């Protein structure tokens, strides 16, 4: 017989009524204090409201230092969510910032914004003034061509796309300019300045900062420092001016009350002063990168890059072979098949040595490298232009193993350059840029090869290995083949579907894709 004081029991038989479920949103709490309050659910009987009334920033810091750092309860940091803005970074750096599976964010769109006045990042070429001059000339030539081509393409699209009478001129122009930007984005170099916003939990931010601090490019390492600083130092308060005015009015009436108001309303807030303060360069990542790059070089022995399909659905294979191949794939420019075939020929002993090599420097708290995320049924080796890759990069349910930026795979040319009569002009610009990138990469500066990558336009191709389950393959193919999408990723997504159709014909019926060969109405977004 339950005790009548038991409020969780049924209200029948005269028992006290059960309290109703309470659900409420929480607002105005610092991320680390919120994380502490939520973590107390598993360590205290206090309600959220009671916990928040009890907690101060000092208590939160003490709790986090104990449970997060000393006891290793890392999941606590998942409860502290932080909004960050990163402005005037290069597209190259933005790709690295967004290369986080637990990341949520948005970047400036090359479709809806004119990047002509964005500016660009200039890496440090040291005392090599010739390299700096060549770099600037190359970047500025690309921007000049981007500006010219944007207007040319807009006029060309207007000529071949009559405006419907029911469509307002403003909407018509806006839609065609977006289509024109889709075409001319191929000219934008990776140095182009962009901006992005991200919302991440503190654990993700900590690993993101460590990854950026360990990067091969100086700009990206600097970004890691700035992200860490932004989490530790006072945050931007959007209400600061309004609150300062309010405090001034209170102080004019009652100085003592004004001081109390200033202490409460104008106090500085730091979003993650405890959880991110120990984020440092990841030695495991840095040391392993050097050794895997050398291992890939020794395995492939400068063999020529063999022709490969734009989208290749890979065959099933032993997990050891997959892991070893994936580890080396990220550190070269060969297709997955070419690396795998070479590794397969060397035998299982070499494969196990590569797997061991990728874990040799792993520390006590280091997660395994992403390359160890293996065993997925659907693995696509994709070679596509960098601009299209940036769109595909947003699919976080799959594992992505990207290769570096290069001019080795050539570039894509949109059909519209031919129909608008400027194909030769475009290709001349790309060929000149290729020569400039190759020359910059041979420079004497410490990071010449990395610095040269900033001059690579989005038209150039890069390889990425996408590993996923069946549901994600269907999702990408369906979403990315819609007529409103960019034709670059539309073609890739449709090729993914065709690969599944070839290898698993009975499953292809479940894909609701759009045939990319059908004409597209340019005015439909």
């Amino acid at each position: 017989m339950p005790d009548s004081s038991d409020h969780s029991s049924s209200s029948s038989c005269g028992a006290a009524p059960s309290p109703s479920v309470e659900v409420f949103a929480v607002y105005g709490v610092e991320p680390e204090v919120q994380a502490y309050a939520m973590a107390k659910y598993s360590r205290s009987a206090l309600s959220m409201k009671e916990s928040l009334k009890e907690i101060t920033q000092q208590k939160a810091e003490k709790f986090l230092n104990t449970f997060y750092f000393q006891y290793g309860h890392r999941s606590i940091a998942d409860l502290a969510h932080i909004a960050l803005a990163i402005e005037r970074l290069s597209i190259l750096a933005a790709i690295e910032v967004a290369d986080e599976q637990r990341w949520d964010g948005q970047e400036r769109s090359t479709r809806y914004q004119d990047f002509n006045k964005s500016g660009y990042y200039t890496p440090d070429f040291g005392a090599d003034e010739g390299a700096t001059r060549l770099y600037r000339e190359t970047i500025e030539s690309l921007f000049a061509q981007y500006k010219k081509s944007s207007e040319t393409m807009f006029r060309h699209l207007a000529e071949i796309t009559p405006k419907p009478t029911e469509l307002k001129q403003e909407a018509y122009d806006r839609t065609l300019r977006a289509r024109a930007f889709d075409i001319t984005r191929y000219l934008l170099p990776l140095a182009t300045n962009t901006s992005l916003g991200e919302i991440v939990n503190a654990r993700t931010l900590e690993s993101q900062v460590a990854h950026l601090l360990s990067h091969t490019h100086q700009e990206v390492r600097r970004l890691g420092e700035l992200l860490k600083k932004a989490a530790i130092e006072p945050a931007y308060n959007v209400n600061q001016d309004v609150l300062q005015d309010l405090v001034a009015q209170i102080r004019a009436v009652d100085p003592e009350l004004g001081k109390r108001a200033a202490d409460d309303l104008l106090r500085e807030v730091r979003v993650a002063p405890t959880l991110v303060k120990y984020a440092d360069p990841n030695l495991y990542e840095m040391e392993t990168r050097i050794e895997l790059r050398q291992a890939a070089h020794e395995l492939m022995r400068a063999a020529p890059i063999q022709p490969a399909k734009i989208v290749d659905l890979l065959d099933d294979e032993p997990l050891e072979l997959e892991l070893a191949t994936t580890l080396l794939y990220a550190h070269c420019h060969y297709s997955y098949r070419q690396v795998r075939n070479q590794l397969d020929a060397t035998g299982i002993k070499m494969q196990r040595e590569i797997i061991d090599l990728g874990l040799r420097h792993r520390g006590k708290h280091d997660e395994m490298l992403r390359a160890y995320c293996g065993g997925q049924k659907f693995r696509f080796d994709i070679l596509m232009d960098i601009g299209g890759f940036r769109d595909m990069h947003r699919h976080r349910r799959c594992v992505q193993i990207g290769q570096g930026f290069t001019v080795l795979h050539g570039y894509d040319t949109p059909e519209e350059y031919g129909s608008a009569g400027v194909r030769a002009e475009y290709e001349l610009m790309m060929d000149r840029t290729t020569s400039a990138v190759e020359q910059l990469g041979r420079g004497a500066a410490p990071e010449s090869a990395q610095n040269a990558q900033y001059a690579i336009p989005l038209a150039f191709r890069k390889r990425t290995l996408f590993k996923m389950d069946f549901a994600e393959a269907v999702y990408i193919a369906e979403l990315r083949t819609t007529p409103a999408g960019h034709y670059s990723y539309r073609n890739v997504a449709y090729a993914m579907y065709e690969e599944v159709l070839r290898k698993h014909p009975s499953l292809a019926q479940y894909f609701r894709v759009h045939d990319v060969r059908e004409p597209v109405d340019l005015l439909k977004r």
Side-chain angles (χ1 to χ4, degrees):
M1 187 80 174
D3 187 90
S4 60
S5 63
D6 184 357
H7 287 242
S8 64
S9 59
S10 171
S11 60
S12 61
C13 301
S18 173
S20 60
V21 174
E22 184 176 13
V23 180
F24 54 91
V26 179
Y27 170 76
V29 183
E30 294 96 319
E32 287 194 354
V33 171
Q34 181 70 82
Y36 177 22
M38 289 190 173
K40 290 193 73 174
Y41 274 134
S42 68
R43 298 165 178 84
S44 167
L46 292 178
S47 70
M48 174 66 69
K49 293 177 182 178
E50 291 169 334
S51 293
L52 288 173
K53 288 178 182 177
E54 179 195 70
I55 297 171
T56 64
Q57 182 63 50
Q58 290 75 22
K59 281 188 177 181
E61 182 176 354
K62 181 179 179 181
F63 172 86
L64 295 172
N65 277 327
T66 300
F67 285 91
Y68 186 74
F69 294 111
Q70 293 182 28
Y71 298 166
H73 295 184
R74 313 291 281 180
S75 62
I76 295 172
D78 293 342
L79 305 172
H81 284 76
I82 302 159
L84 294 154
I86 309 172
E87 300 181 346
R88 293 181 299 281
L89 74 165
S90 72
I91 288 178
L92 184 151
I95 290 173
E96 296 303 324
V97 170
D99 190 39
E100 166 58 57
Q101 288 179 278
R102 296 167 293 192
W103 187 83
D104 292 306
Q106 290 284 319
E107 183 186 346
R108 284 185 66 195
S109 170
T110 55
R111 166 176 283 187
Y112 300 113
Q113 296 195 43
D114 184 352
F115 276 70
N116 183 55
K117 297 181 180 179
S118 297
Y120 60 89
Y121 174 77
T122 301
D124 183 8
F125 289 95
D128 193 343
E129 296 180 1
T132 302
R133 184 167 54 254
L134 174 60
Y135 176 83
R136 290 189 179 278
E137 290 173 353
T138 302
I139 300 296
E140 288 170 10
S141 294
L142 287 166
F143 271 106
Q145 191 66 42
Y146 169 78
K147 179 180 180 180
K148 178 182 177 182
S149 295
S150 295
E151 287 303 315
T152 299
M153 286 301 162
F154 172 71
R155 291 194 301 269
H156 170 67
L157 295 178
E159 289 173 0
I160 64 175
T161 313
K163 185 182 80 67
T165 55
E166 69 275 10
L167 187 63
K168 293 183 178 180
Q169 187 68 41
E170 182 182 358
Y172 172 78
D173 291 347
R174 183 173 60 249
T175 302
L176 288 189
R177 285 203 180 278
R179 292 288 187 179
F181 287 147
D182 270 350
I183 299 167
T184 56
R185 80 177 189 184
Y186 284 73
L187 289 155
L188 291 173
L190 284 167
T192 305
N193 282 342
T194 185
S195 298
L196 59 80
E198 67 173 27
I199 299 176
V200 293
N201 64 52
R203 177 155 60 159
T204 298
L205 179 61
E206 183 185 30
S207 62
Q208 182 187 50
V209 167
H211 170 68
L212 297 177
L213 291 173
S214 311
H215 203 268
T216 54
H217 292 61
Q218 184 181 47
E219 181 203 10
V220 181
R221 295 194 296 272
R222 174 60 177 156
L223 271 178
E225 296 171 359
L226 292 174
L227 275 172
K228 181 176 179 178
K229 183 178 179 182
I232 294 173
E233 294 189 349
Y236 168 70
N237 185 349
V238 68
N239 297 312
Q240 185 76 11
D241 293 341
V242 173
L243 292 174
Q244 284 182 334
D245 183 58
L246 176 62
V247 168
Q249 293 180 45
I250 295 173
R251 188 179 286 120
V253 176
D254 187 331
E256 183 177 346
L257 185 60
K259 182 180 182 305
R260 287 177 55 194
D263 291 342
D264 288 337
L265 299 178
L266 300 180
R267 64 188 177 85
E268 294 179 337
V269 173
R270 292 165 170 79
V271 293
T274 309
L275 294 171
V276 184
K277 65 182 178 181
Y278 296 124
D280 293 314
N282 188 314
L283 294 179
Y284 166 46
E285 180 180 336
M286 296 167 69
E287 293 169 349
T288 305
R289 178 172 61 227
I290 294 172
E291 295 189 359
L292 288 176
R293 185 174 295 170
Q294 180 63 29
H297 177 75
E298 292 175 358
L299 176 73
M300 302 309 296
R301 300 176 184 175
I305 296 175
Q306 297 173 358
K309 294 187 291 186
I310 297 300
V311 175
D312 185 9
L313 177 55
L314 301 167
D315 303 320
D316 295 336
E317 60 198 353
L319 185 56
E320 291 87 348
L321 181 55
E322 178 191 342
L323 295 178
T325 303
T326 305
L327 283 162
L328 298 185
Y329 171 92
H331 299 284
C332 64
H333 294 294
Y334 296 97
S335 70
Y336 184 95
R337 282 188 185 273
Q338 190 170 355
V339 177
R340 183 193 62 189
N341 291 343
Q342 191 72 9
L343 260 179
D344 196 22
T346 63
I348 187 65
K349 183 174 181 294
M350 173 64 76
Q351 296 164 30
R352 289 174 177 166
E353 288 177 359
I354 297 298
I355 295 171
D356 289 342
L357 183 63
L359 295 170
R360 180 179 301 167
H361 300 287
R362 185 184 178 209
K364 179 180 179 181
H365 299 293
D366 290 322
E367 293 184 14
M368 283 187 170
L369 299 174
R370 190 183 299 176
Y372 287 96
C373 297
Q376 293 83 352
K377 183 70 175 179
F378 293 86
R379 297 172 300 128
F380 298 90
D381 186 9
I382 298 176
L383 178 64
M384 68 185 304
D385 65 274
I386 300 170
F389 159 75
R390 290 172 70 238
D391 295 313
M392 294 288 287
H393 194 207
R394 300 171 189 162
H395 292 281
R396 315 234 170 251
R397 270 183 52 196
C398 56
V399 175
Q400 299 182 28
I401 309 295
Q403 294 185 348
F405 303 106
T406 181
V407 295
L408 289 174
H409 303 304
Y411 55 86
D412 284 349
T413 303
E415 293 180 1
E416 289 84 355
Y417 279 103
S419 58
V422 293
R423 183 186 181 99
E425 186 178 330
Y426 169 83
E427 291 180 345
L428 179 61
M429 176 61 66
M430 291 298 157
D431 293 341
R432 286 177 176 172
T433 302
T434 299
S435 298
V437 170
E438 291 172 344
Q439 183 176 338
L440 289 168
R442 295 190 295 266
E447 294 185 9
S448 291
Q450 289 84 358
N451 292 344
Q453 293 175 4
Y454 285 98
I456 298 176
L458 301 186
F460 282 80
R461 305 183 189 111
K462 76 180 294 288
R463 288 192 185 282
T464 308
L465 180 63
F466 289 79
K467 301 182 177 186
M468 64 193 74
D469 57 27
F470 175 65
E472 182 68 356
V474 172
Y475 175 76
I476 292 176
E478 291 183 351
L479 176 68
R480 294 302 184 182
T481 57
T482 55
H486 194 285
Y487 48 81
S488 172
Y489 63 67
R490 289 191 72 215
N491 291 336
V492 166
Y494 195 75
M496 292 171 63
Y497 158 72
E498 290 182 314
E499 283 288 282
V500 175
L501 175 63
R502 176 185 60 82
K503 193 171 181 182
H504 304 283
S506 64
L507 296 178
Q509 62 179 311
Y510 303 112
F511 286 71
R512 297 181 294 191
V513 296
H514 293 79
D515 192 334
V516 298
R517 296 164 295 188
E518 296 178 354
V520 172
D521 183 349
L522 295 180
L523 296 177
K524 287 188 176 180
R525 306 301 294 157

